[in-house]
Amino acid sequence: MIQFHTRIPNHFDLPRRINRLGDLAYNLWWTWQPNAQRLFSRIDNDLWERLSHNPILLLRQLERSALNEVAQDSQYLALYDSVFAEFDRYLAKKDTWSDKTHPELASKPIAYFSMEFGLHETLPIYSGGLGVLSGDHLKEASDLGLPFVGVGLMYAEGYFSQRISEDGWQDALNNPLRFGDMMVLPILTEDGKPLTVSVEMPDRLVTLRLWEIRVGRIPLFLMDSNVESNKLEDRTLTARLYWSDLDRRIMQEIVLGVGGVRALRALGYNPSVWHMNEGHAAFLILERARELVAGGASFADAIEKTRGQNVFTTHTPVPAGNDEFPLWLIDKFLASLWPELGLNRDQFVDLARNKQSWGESFSMGVLALRYSEGRNAVSELHGHVARKMWHSLWQDQEVDDVPITYVTNGVHTDNWMARRLGLLYDKYLGPEWRECLDDPETWTKLDKIPPGELWAFRMHQKRKLSFRIQEWARTRWSKGGFHPVQVVASGALIDPYVLTIGFARRFATYKRAGLILRDVERLLRIINRPNMPVQIIFAGKAHPADEPGKQMIQQIYRTVKIAETEGRLVFLEDYDMNVARYLVQGVDVWLNTPRRPMEASGTSGMKASLNGVLNFSVLDGWWREAYNGKNGWAIGEDKEPDVPEIQDEADALSLYSTLENEIIPLFYDRNADMLPMDWIEHIKNNLRTITPQFSTRRMVKEYVERLYVPAAK
Ligand SMILES: *Cc1c(COP(=O)(O)O)cnc(C)c1O
């Protein structure tokens, strides 16, 4: 085995008394620990905000005098000591849930492969929900003490930054990231050279550098093809997320699947469970079979052996959403693999052959489903859809018996919950609530929270959001290139006392961001109702190649700009995890309008819920499981659309009338103390039913019990 190390660079010039801040900066644990965050923000809050919460840059740019000052401030030092005591305790903990419940897993690492990881706003290696789910999965695995390791790609430019032109057109900015300024560590060999692995491409090798991000107790290893010895075109393979041209797309997936296995080997890992988060990583199946065949096994034995250890999570409810490659591309990139597996071309293609209207293809979904013993969808409804969609692979069984189960997604509570709500829970549920987060019993004590205190918390979050939106608008305006109407469009007139609805997500067309604009006249009457106004805040990016998605943004932006909105419709630029955090903590209602059943699960509504924000959504994905009539509102009915266009019209009418007749009156119905008592009751029902169930605590435990433990046998 090659010896390697990742050493935290000693490039911070810190006073001795606080010199461990450098260690803390390189472990993402601080990102879900409010007190640890304050160790950074308290030194210079303005700089902290300006640097978008980047502790590496902060520690480098701070004046020595500011550091000396806190190093002598007894309050700061008390916080410092308590955070590091907690940090050390966390990293060394020996009686975690995993230790206690599944000691047999201790020597059996679980490898988790994903094309994207959403961990923090300063690490733009995610594009949306899939990535944020991967990031939350790692954080929870760390909290539960699982022997876990993540594998992904380190993108040289990351996902793009979004600017909106005066006419509402999305411009994508791609700038090279400076890894040295990020919470990313190079992996080096003993003699200080980068540790690399390589993968075969037609007539050449592509060399990959390895990087590590520390997520609490868990390492995330990332590969990057920007290595000098590579051909120029190969150096950009990992520059951006999801190249649209198929050549580069298949190469990216070879890097992830094949390169990922080799990276783990180079790092000395021998995982017992191989979890593919979506089909992009499915080439790992072939690489592991190749290893076994090289060791003397027959292909049939090899693929059987790997199958038992593989777990595959599908997220895509439409056939077209799964990655498929035309066979000529398979010939071009994988022909050298066939003999290594002891297969001819036909036998190889048979592993994942799929019939399409345009011809035959090699389907990553088919490959992953066939050769994974554990298979799951991400909500109950999505489970039905997936079993129906893949019935052809198990033709001799009834649809309901197709062996694809479901594990409904969750979100990492500490990562998404406002600090103040945690304090309220400490006070009224008892400080042990975090440990018993997924136990419904914990939540029976919720009624102890006085309505006034809960509402004061909500109002605090709303003011915080309004203030932040105005700061963003101010900064953006001062940078130039912004038309005055864009200042209004970005929320300069926002009012924290008004009922506020949030709509933020990727602008994929099935999400129907424009649904609420179907009848603009009616919408204007709703938002400008005397004494009962409403604000709607939109945010989201469209994939740069998604023209209809970009047109949808433009349609919304053009409406946002009209004077008749009185500044109550807002579009925030550059949706990312930071904007998401402010929104899910600071609005009153979270709107989601997917075309059922396209939203396999959805997770942003869960983040909103756990902050006391009420969901108003189509009964798709997770919301169909969570909605009980008293914890939020449904749009439309619990059934699939027959004709999509008719469904759009029906859903829009349902949306307007529920808003007019239920949501708005409930919010503005105040008692003598100006408290909306029935609304607060809804919030409590929502917290009680959703926080425990739609957490990664519940989700990762379910993955362990139902998928990892059987695979690790
Ligand atoms: C949670 C999150 C998502 C996922 O949102 P859904 O539309 O609910 O799937 C996307 N982007 C960001 C930045 C998020 O934080």
Side-chain angles (χ1 to χ4, degrees):
M1 198 188 109
I2 312 167
Q3 291 299 311
F4 67 92
H5 65 259
T6 52
R7 195 173 297 140
I8 293 188
N10 191 10
H11 54 205
F12 304 123
D13 180 23
L14 299 172
R16 258 184 85 144
R17 179 66 176 83
I18 55 172
N19 68 0
R20 294 192 66 200
L21 285 176
D23 292 345
L24 186 68
Y26 277 103
N27 190 320
L28 268 64
W29 177 79
W30 72 262
T31 64
W32 69 93
Q33 296 295 327
N35 283 337
Q37 286 159 29
R38 295 175 106 196
L39 283 185
F40 298 120
S41 65
R42 265 202 53 176
I43 310 177
D44 184 342
N45 195 50
D46 272 354
L47 185 60
W48 179 241
E49 288 298 331
R50 235 179 10 256
L51 298 172
S52 357
H53 314 139
N54 182 329
I56 312 293
L57 288 178
L58 180 88
L59 293 182
R60 237 184 258 151
Q61 293 185 13
L62 277 169
E63 297 286 342
R64 181 71 192 200
S65 59
L67 288 163
N68 284 339
E69 203 175 301
V70 293
Q72 282 156 25
D73 173 339
S74 60
Q75 264 189 6
Y76 184 86
L77 293 176
L79 181 67
Y80 178 92
D81 292 336
S82 80
V83 167
F84 278 96
E86 180 60 24
F87 185 44
D88 293 336
R89 195 194 60 78
Y90 182 87
L91 293 182
K93 197 167 190 264
K94 288 278 186 291
D95 59 344
T96 62
W97 175 83
S98 182
D99 295 322
K100 286 188 288 198
T101 331
H102 292 287
E104 78 278 14
L105 288 177
S107 57
K108 298 190 166 171
I110 299 153
Y112 181 92
F113 283 60
S114 182
M115 204 64 151
E116 44 173 311
F117 286 90
L119 292 157
H120 189 251
E121 52 268 26
T122 59
L123 295 165
I125 55 172
Y126 63 94
S127 74
L130 182 78
V132 177
L133 181 78
S134 308
D136 278 8
H137 198 124
L138 294 192
K139 289 168 187 168
E140 189 66 50
S142 171
D143 290 349
L144 291 174
L146 283 176
F148 213 78
V149 49
V151 178
L153 303 185
M154 187 65 210
Y155 298 98
E157 294 176 359
Y159 204 50
F160 70 95
S161 303
Q162 180 193 52
R163 292 282 175 281
I164 304 290
S165 76
E166 191 198 333
D167 193 30
W169 196 246
Q170 166 181 295
D171 292 320
L173 306 185
N174 287 290
N175 290 312
L177 299 174
R178 296 161 56 113
F179 296 170
D181 294 348
M182 296 162 64
M183 300 180 280
V184 181
L185 294 161
I187 302 183
L188 306 175
T189 58
E190 284 285 84
D191 51 1
K193 297 214 178 68
L195 180 65
T196 60
V197 295
S198 56
V199 291
E200 297 83 14
M201 296 292 173
D203 67 42
R204 62 187 189 274
L205 284 178
V206 172
T207 302
L208 305 165
R209 279 198 70 171
L210 304 183
W211 302 85
E212 178 181 348
I213 294 178
R214 295 187 180 168
V215 186
R217 299 161 59 115
I218 288 176
L220 166 60
F221 296 114
L222 300 166
M223 296 166 286
D224 148 35
S225 73
N226 188 15
V227 173
E228 260 177 46
S229 60
N230 285 336
K231 283 171 63 174
L232 210 54
E233 70 214 62
D234 292 337
R235 293 184 63 172
T236 58
L237 274 185
T238 57
R240 297 186 192 167
L241 286 83
Y242 305 114
W243 289 115
S244 324
D245 68 287
L246 285 175
D247 260 75
R248 278 198 284 191
R249 187 66 167 265
I250 195 171
M251 287 195 268
Q252 264 190 345
E253 299 193 6
I254 291 171
V255 168
L256 179 63
V258 178
V261 175
R262 293 181 187 173
L264 288 178
R265 298 305 186 206
L267 294 162
Y269 281 87
N270 183 21
S272 299
V273 181
W274 300 76
H275 186 170
M276 289 161 264
N277 188 40
E278 196 48 295
H280 312 120
F283 287 135
L284 80 81
I285 297 169
L286 303 178
E287 171 61 10
R288 291 188 50 234
R290 192 196 60 76
E291 290 179 337
L292 292 169
V293 171
S298 70
F299 177 75
D301 287 348
I303 200 85
E304 265 322 295
K305 176 140 196 268
T306 69
R307 185 212 305 265
Q309 295 184 316
N310 293 336
V311 173
F312 170 54
T313 302
T314 172
H315 294 263
T316 332
V318 279
N322 286 278
D323 269 337
E324 319 223 1
F325 297 110
L327 298 186
W328 63 264
L329 211 60
I330 296 296
D331 293 343
K332 177 170 170 191
F333 284 97
L334 296 172
S336 66
L337 183 59
W338 311 336
E340 289 198 64
L341 295 175
L343 300 177
N344 62 30
R345 180 197 189 248
D346 255 9
Q347 290 166 326
F348 182 85
V349 172
D350 275 343
L351 299 174
R353 197 187 293 272
N354 206 20
K355 298 237 185 330
Q356 288 292 344
S357 53
W358 42 266
E360 284 189 323
S361 75
F362 188 92
S363 156
M364 300 299 274
V366 171
L367 182 67
L369 285 167
R370 279 230 185 96
Y371 301 106
S372 302
E373 198 62 41
R375 311 168 198 89
N376 73 287
V378 291
S379 70
E380 187 187 12
L381 181 62
H382 180 225
H384 287 293
V385 172
R387 285 189 291 275
K388 211 159 121 190
M389 196 167 111
W390 297 108
H391 190 200
S392 59
L393 295 181
W394 286 273
Q395 271 167 353
D396 51 341
Q397 309 209 27
E398 297 295 316
V399 174
D400 288 343
D401 297 330
V402 167
I404 303 175
T405 181
Y406 73 92
V407 176
T408 303
N409 286 344
V411 292
H412 186 265
T413 311
D414 282 336
N415 192 50
W416 293 104
M417 198 179 70
R419 190 179 69 92
R420 290 215 172 195
L421 188 55
L423 297 179
L424 267 190
Y425 287 167
D426 287 346
K427 184 166 159 197
Y428 291 102
L429 307 184
E432 66 287 355
W433 71 270
R434 276 174 217 275
E435 288 299 316
C436 324
L437 165 66
D438 54 339
D439 180 356
E441 181 66 27
T442 306
W443 301 93
T444 56
K445 296 181 226 151
L446 206 69
D447 276 329
K448 291 194 195 157
I449 304 179
E453 282 192 49
L454 194 54
W455 191 244
F457 153 70
R458 291 292 329 139
M459 284 311 303
H460 172 81
Q461 295 306 128
K462 292 186 68 172
R463 281 191 298 268
K464 199 171 153 182
L465 171 67
S466 299
F467 171 79
R468 182 49 53 197
I469 287 177
Q470 284 161 355
E471 281 301 303
W472 284 329
R474 195 190 315 281
T475 311
R476 187 64 181 78
W477 171 237
S478 69
K479 278 192 187 147
F482 220 39
H483 188 277
V485 74
Q486 293 187 275
V487 182
V488 175
S490 50
L493 300 180
I494 205 95
D495 177 344
Y497 299 93
V498 166
L499 171 60
T500 306
I501 298 175
F503 182 98
R505 50 188 41 87
R506 278 183 310 115
F507 273 66
T509 40
Y510 77 84
K511 301 223 183 210
R512 296 191 299 181
L515 196 74
I516 197 166
L517 304 182
R518 265 180 95 89
D519 184 344
V520 173
E521 293 301 313
R522 188 164 174 186
L523 179 65
L524 291 174
R525 283 199 301 278
I526 290 173
I527 63 174
N528 294 326
R529 194 146 131 192
N531 304 315
M532 295 190 183
V534 176
Q535 298 171 151
I536 307 177
I537 304 175
F538 297 93
K541 297 175 179 175
H543 187 281
D546 179 7
E547 296 302 314
K550 289 192 274 191
Q551 280 160 9
M552 214 144 97
I553 290 177
Q554 184 167 47
Q555 182 207 355
I556 288 173
Y557 205 78
R558 284 176 174 169
T559 311
V560 164
K561 283 193 313 178
I562 62 178
E564 290 80 1
T565 67
E566 302 187 14
R568 294 196 175 102
L569 298 186
V570 172
F571 191 99
L572 299 179
E573 271 182 343
D574 210 22
Y575 183 51
D576 68 356
M577 288 179 74
N578 187 40
V579 176
R581 201 178 306 110
Y582 275 103
L583 286 176
V584 300
Q585 295 178 358
V587 301
D588 297 297
V589 172
W590 196 252
L591 177 68
N592 194 12
T593 51
R595 177 173 286 144
R596 185 173 148 149
M598 304 285 280
E599 184 88 317
S601 168
T603 50
S604 58
M606 304 173 190
K607 302 168 196 166
S609 268
L610 67 85
N611 285 294
V613 174
L614 299 175
N615 274 275
F616 179 32
S617 169
V618 170
L619 291 170
D620 196 5
W622 79 282
W623 185 235
R624 185 174 160 274
E625 287 161 57
Y627 176 64
N628 70 3
K630 291 183 294 201
N631 57 359
W633 297 273
I635 297 169
E637 293 167 48
D638 186 11
K639 62 176 204 226
E640 249 69 85
D642 294 327
V643 184
E645 290 69 32
I646 297 179
Q647 193 63 35
D648 290 353
E649 183 63 20
D651 285 349
L653 292 177
S654 162
L655 191 165
Y656 291 132
S657 85
T658 305
L659 208 46
E660 289 163 342
N661 302 322
E662 297 181 41
I663 299 178
I664 299 171
L666 196 75
F667 180 85
Y668 286 107
D669 179 15
R670 305 298 169 102
N671 71 5
D673 298 324
M674 289 304 283
L675 295 177
M677 293 303 285
D678 290 339
W679 188 276
I680 294 170
E681 201 45 44
H682 266 67
I683 292 179
K684 285 190 174 177
N685 289 332
N686 152 85
L687 295 173
R688 191 183 295 117
T689 52
I690 294 172
T691 309
Q693 182 64 16
F694 297 92
S695 61
T696 45
R697 184 68 52 83
R698 186 271 311 150
M699 178 188 89
V700 174
K701 284 183 180 178
E702 236 184 282
Y703 273 104
V704 172
E705 310 279 355
R706 296 178 43 210
L707 295 151
Y708 297 160
V709 167
K713 282 237 163 65

